[in-house]
Amino acid sequence: MNNKFDVIVIGTGQSGPFLAVRMAAAGKRVAIIERARFGGTCVNTGCIPTKTLVASAYAAHMAHRAAEFGVEVPGPVRVDMKRVKARKDEISGKSRDGLESWLKGTPNCTVYQGHARFESPTEVRVGEELLTAQEIFINVGGRATIPSLPGVANTPHLTNSTLLDLDILPRHLVIVGGGYIGLEFGQIFRRFGSEVTIIERASRLIAHEDEDVSTEVQAILERDGIQVRLNATCIELTRQGEEVGVSVDCTRGAPEVTGSHLLLAMGRTQNTADLGLEKAGVAHDDRGYVLVDDQLRTNVPGIWALGDCNGRGGFTHTSYNDFEIVAANLLDHETRSVKDRIRAYNLYIDPPLGRCGMTEQEARTSGRHVLMGMRPMTRVGRAVEKGESQGFMKILVDRDSKEILGASILGTGGDEVIHCILDVMYARAPYTVMQKAMHIHPTVSELIPTMLGELRPL
Ligand SMILES: Cc1cc2nc3c(=O)[nH]c(=O)nc-3n(C[C@H](O)[C@H](O)[C@H](O)COP(=O)(O)OP(=O)(O)OC[C@H]3O[C@@H](n4cnc5c(N)ncnc54)[C@H](O)[C@@H]3O)c2cc1C
């Protein structure tokens, strides 16, 4: 077999497959290599499976609350974990299979299954095969970090991947890590019926958000019955028969938490250590992120890095946007850059947190004259009607340029509402455009213009 290609893509995450298909459609001979499951993290162990679980957890929660809405649920609400898992596996599996057959059915595109490793700047080995190409795109993503906590080697623990294999309900799930992954899983399993404790080293959850956001997120989780332990230094793990123990040196609370299952949600490690980067001369930092410029080119001409492994994003939409940037630059003769995108992401607890642009803290230190609008969800009609009035929204505006600087929408629909703000930011339109827009009643979005009419200096 002729192993000479125009393009090699390593990894089938959220940018590689789309780039492979675009390149193949442009008439290039493409090889794409996947060592595990097609679709990578998002499809198999990230966004898709967790958001199906979020949906099941929401259904359970609303079933418990049914009487509040005048709906009778005869008998106790019971969660069938096997059916929850089967639903998740079906949705995730369809996406994975669809991607695999799309790639395998694409003309000019050859799919290799195995671990890829650079042999030189233009050569990649997969098992016995040595593939060559002048253009190589790295989309290898990451995996859960297993931190070097004392006792970790001898204490059974779960990661975001292995927790998704469970089809039983943990009696008590102890989660180390109060970031996005820890919080989403925490609320999911609490709503399924587990006791849940979240342990975090910092003095607050999701510490890079504004303090009022962290505080309200913690309150939302605690109202669901989740125990939160902050300022947890000196975390030590122990196996205690069938149980797991986590000793924590917190400023408040018992010095040890004992549970039936332990989830380590303490960050991500990039899949770059076993890629042979040194043989290609590709530079990376000491955390394993491949170094790239604003067009996602590495230091080696002809090699690009996309997705989580380049350290410029960390989300599915940033990885997909990486594909769009690279494809535009190489195929569409446009100049697109990662600098043009505005930070945006959601935290999928219920109610969700939608975020874009600066936090209030960042705005305060930006040296600008900043105006802020705020509204509790108790003053949003739609939220009250739905019986989902936890949280608040806030928006930040530059007084002089009138540009919107950022927003946090923590409340029902916040994951969707954030986009109307994001698009005005992309348009670089003054906030007054949105303030004067007629939004639809009754929605959460209809209060954004109102909030923009009530701006106050920070
Ligand atoms: C629990 C969890 C929930 C998440 N939820 C969200 C969410 O709601 N929204 C969101 O935007 N993001 C979410 N993310 C993040 C999101 O999953 C990733 O940012 C996204 O998958 C982009 O990844 P990627 O394209 O960099 O590569 P990945 O999806 O990680 O894929 C990389 C692929 O490369 C393969 N690979 C690695 N090394 C090699 C090699 N040497 N040879 C061959 N193949 C290789 C891997 O097997 C993998 O299939 C979540 C992540 C987790 C863990």
Side-chain angles (χ1 to χ4, degrees), residues 134-211:
Q134 293 303 313
E135 292 183 334
I136 301 179
F137 301 90
I138 305 169
N139 178 217
V140 292
R143 60 186 188 281
T145 298
I146 306 299
S148 55
L149 294 171
V152 71
N154 302 319
T155 312
H157 53 262
L158 298 160
T159 64
N160 67 288
S161 303
T162 50
L163 181 53
L164 289 167
D165 294 334
L166 282 192
D167 63 359
I168 52 128
L169 188 68
R171 182 185 59 73
H172 182 174
L173 178 64
V174 181
I175 300 174
V176 183
Y180 293 83
I181 294 173
L183 301 193
E184 289 182 12
F185 275 120
Q187 193 184 46
I188 289 167
F189 279 91
R190 177 67 199 136
R191 289 183 168 191
F192 288 159
S194 297
E195 198 182 326
V196 172
T197 304
I198 299 177
I199 297 171
E200 166 57 45
R201 284 176 174 158
S203 58
R204 56 191 173 92
L205 300 174
I206 46 170
H208 55 274
E209 301 297 345
D210 287 328
E211 198 161 346

Side-chain angles (χ1 to χ4, degrees), residues 10-14 33-37 39-42 45-47 50-51 114-116 139-142 160 181 268 271 275 307-308 314-317 319 348:
I10 306 176
T12 65
Q14 293 303 305
I33 310 159
E34 174 52 58
R35 71 174 179 189
R37 290 187 283 178
T41 308
C42 180
T45 58
C47 335
T50 55
K51 267 78 254 180
H115 181 94
N139 178 217
V140 292
N160 67 288
I181 294 173
R268 308 283 297 164
N271 294 323
L275 196 54
D308 289 11
F315 297 99
T316 282
H317 45 281
S319 181
Y348 292 94

Side-chain angles (χ1 to χ4, degrees), residues 58-69:
Y58 182 71
H61 180 67
M62 292 312 276
H64 281 291
R65 290 186 59 196
E68 275 179 55
F69 297 85

Side-chain angles (χ1 to χ4, degrees), residues 18-53:
F18 307 99
L19 193 62
V21 170
R22 277 259 6 230
M23 291 286 183
K28 302 199 186 216
R29 246 192 113 219
V30 177
I32 184 162
I33 310 159
E34 174 52 58
R35 71 174 179 189
R37 290 187 283 178
F38 286 85
T41 308
C42 180
V43 169
N44 299 292
T45 58
C47 335
I48 295 183
T50 55
K51 267 78 254 180
T52 64
L53 295 186

